[in-house]
Amino acid sequence: MNMKEVADDAGLFHGWDGLPAAEQKRRLGLYRQRVLLQSAERDRAWLRAQRKEYVKGW
């Protein structure tokens, strides 16, 4: 199974108890990457909105 093709985060943890430690670590790493990417996207959207509001004030 290619973990990057798993559509949702819950799929990463499916069958967690039966996975070897190395696979658990790999899946946690992928989950962390996803969370960081989502956070960065939210931050960029917020910054764009703030910039637009700032420009309107000029």
Side-chain angles (χ1 to χ4, degrees):
M1 176 188 326
N2 184 351
M3 288 291 101
K4 292 188 179 188
E5 294 175 359
V6 174
D8 62 355
D9 293 336
L12 290 173
F13 299 103
H14 181 72
W16 182 260
D17 293 332
L19 297 173
E23 180 64 15
Q24 289 179 348
K25 185 176 180 179
R26 186 174 79 87
R27 290 185 184 202
L28 282 174
L30 183 56
Y31 176 72
R32 181 176 181 266
Q33 286 176 338
R34 286 181 175 187
V35 169
L36 289 173
L37 179 62
Q38 291 169 356
S39 177
E41 289 171 351
R42 279 192 306 271
D43 289 349
R44 271 193 299 272
W46 181 83
L47 285 170
R48 276 193 299 268
Q50 294 301 309
R51 185 179 60 207
K52 286 180 183 178
E53 289 300 315
Y54 179 77
V55 170
K56 284 180 185 178
W58 280 92

